Amino acid sequence: MKKTPPQKGSLTIIGTGIKLGGHMTQESMSVVKSADRVLAVVAEPATFEWLKRLNPNIKSLAVHYDKNKYRHQTYQLMVDEIVESVENGHKTAAVFYGHPGVFVNPSHKAIKRLKDLGYEAKMLPGISADACLFAELSVDPSRNGYQAYEATDFLLFNRTLDSSVSCVIWQIGVVGKMSIEKVEQADDNLKVLVDELLKYYPKSHEVILYLSSQFNIIESTIKRLPLSELPVSTIPELSTLFIPPAKPKQLNLTMAKKLNIDISKITT
Ligand SMILES: C[S@@+](CC[C@H](N)C(=O)[O-])C[C@H]1O[C@@H](n2cnc3c(N)ncnc32)[C@H](O)[C@@H]1O
C-alpha cells in the first residue's frame, strides 16, 4: 500500500492591524481561517477572542512574556514555538498586532530560520501604528521626509536627527527597558531621551504623544505638549511620539539646476 508522505508545514505571518476586527485584510483573515494552528501575540484580550472565533486552534505566544526575562529571550522562545509548529507539519499562521514586520523581532527571525530549513515561509502586510498616525495627525511623509527610531535604539547607538524632517519615536513608553515591565509613569530614562532630543529641538517645541484607539467606540489619544514637559507626563505603554519638523527644509539650488527643475513650480 502506498504510504502518504508526511505533511509539510508552512508559515504565514500576518498582522491584525491596530483596531480590533476592522484592520485585518481579507487575505490575512483567510490565512487564519484555513490554518491548522494559529499562534498569536496581540495587544489586548478582545483581539485574541476575535481570532479564536475565526479559528479555535489558537494559542497565545504571550505566555513567554516574563518580567524577569530579557526581551530577546522571550522572542527566542516565540520563534522556537513557531518553528516547532511548522516542523511538526502544521500549516501555521503566526499573528502579531499592527504590521507583523514593523518593530516585531520574532516574525522576521522565524521566517529566516524556516527558510534556511527549506520550509515555505512568508509575511503579509498589516496596518501599523505609524500608518494610523499618518492618517490621524494628517502627516504625509513625502512632504518633509520621515525618520523613525525605536527609543532605546536611538539612545544606545548614537543615532542622529535632522530637525527639518518629521520624526517618529517608537516605544517611548519603555525607554531603556530590556524586559517586559509595566511602565505608566515617566521615569529617569525618559529624561535621558528628552535631554538627547533637546540637542536638536528647542524646549518649547510642540510634540505629540499619540495612542491610536484599538476599538471603534473609543477615540484615539492625541496629546500635544512642549518637548520639555515630556518627562513629567504619563506615557501610556503603547504610545508613539511624533515630533514635527522644527525648521524648514533647505532648497539646494545647484541640484535643482542639475536636475533641470524650474524652482518656481516647486510646492513646499
Ligand atoms: C512592539 S511595537 C509593535 C508595533 C506594531 N507591530 C505596529 O505595526 O504598529 C510596539 C510599539 O508600537 C507602537 N504602537 C503600538 N500600538 C500603538 C497604538 N495603539 N498607538 C500608538 N502607537 C502604538 C508604540 O510605539 C509601541 O511602543
Side-chain angles (χ1 to χ4, degrees):
M1 205 168 80
K2 215 175 164 191
K3 270 195 180 167
T4 339
Q7 201 194 343
K8 199 161 186 269
S10 64
L11 174 67
T12 308
I13 304 255
I14 60 156
T16 58
I18 300 295
K19 199 163 271 173
L20 173 64
H23 278 187
M24 205 154 120
T25 63
Q26 294 287 341
E27 188 184 22
S28 297
M29 268 205 261
S30 78
V31 168
V32 171
K33 285 182 189 163
S34 64
D36 303 327
R37 293 200 72 207
V38 181
L39 299 169
V41 188
V42 291
E44 39 66 53
T47 304
F48 187 81
E49 289 308 314
W50 181 76
L51 288 166
K52 202 172 178 176
R53 284 202 210 154
L54 296 180
N55 189 331
N57 285 328
I58 186 168
K59 188 188 162 200
S60 173
L61 289 178
V63 288
H64 297 300
Y65 283 125
D66 177 347
K67 67 178 171 44
N68 298 314
K69 271 186 210 138
Y70 281 107
R71 270 190 244 175
H72 72 264
Q73 294 172 302
T74 301
Y75 297 155
Q76 191 53 52
L77 292 169
M78 290 178 178
V79 174
D80 291 346
E81 192 163 347
I82 295 169
V83 170
E84 195 185 309
S85 171
V86 175
E87 284 179 329
N88 286 338
H90 299 303
K91 191 163 111 183
T92 304
V95 187
F96 295 85
Y97 74 96
H99 184 305
V102 173
F103 290 80
V104 182
N105 166 308
S107 56
H108 293 289
K109 290 232 161 90
I111 287 185
K112 163 104 184 52
R113 244 171 80 185
L114 285 164
K115 278 191 169 167
D116 288 349
L117 291 168
Y119 289 97
E120 229 178 77
K122 65 174 182 198
M123 182 185 289
L124 301 181
I127 297 182
S128 54
D130 61 349
C132 300
L133 182 151
F134 293 149
E136 290 201 278
L137 303 187
S138 291
V139 173
D140 180 345
S142 75
R143 204 171 156 80
N144 291 306
Y146 171 46
Q147 56 198 332
Y149 291 110
E150 196 278 335
T152 308
D153 176 284
F154 170 70
L155 293 172
L156 268 186
F157 296 97
N158 297 316
R159 309 298 200 176
T160 54
L161 290 174
D162 177 341
S163 63
S164 70
V165 172
S166 297
C167 176
V168 171
I169 304 279
W170 294 71
Q171 307 209 145
I172 176 113
V174 287
V175 190
K177 309 282 178 207
M178 302 309 280
S179 63
I180 310 295
E181 298 165 57
K182 279 254 170 234
V183 233
E184 287 285 344
Q185 286 301 325
D187 58 15
D188 289 350
N189 291 350
L190 200 50
K191 191 171 175 315
V192 174
L193 174 69
V194 170
D195 284 347
E196 205 51 38
L197 293 173
L198 286 171
K199 292 182 182 165
Y200 302 92
Y201 303 97
K203 278 183 180 171
S204 59
H205 189 57
E206 187 183 83
V207 298
I208 302 173
L209 268 175
Y210 173 68
L211 182 64
S212 178
S213 168
Q214 293 166 307
F215 306 100
N216 262 334
I217 48 163
I218 298 175
E219 295 282 304
S220 295
T221 308
I222 298 170
K223 187 174 169 188
R224 295 170 192 272
L225 70 167
L227 179 57
S228 59
E229 281 180 20
L230 207 53
V232 290
S233 307
T234 300
I235 314 278
E237 196 181 333
L238 280 184
S239 37
T240 297
L241 181 70
F242 179 71
I243 313 178
K247 61 180 190 193
K249 55 187 176 187
Q250 294 302 310
L251 182 61
N252 183 334
L253 289 171
T254 318
M255 194 54 79
K257 208 167 172 191
K258 256 191 204 170
L259 297 172
N260 212 10
I261 289 175
D262 175 357
I263 56 164
S264 68
K265 301 264 165 35
I266 296 174
T267 49
T268 51

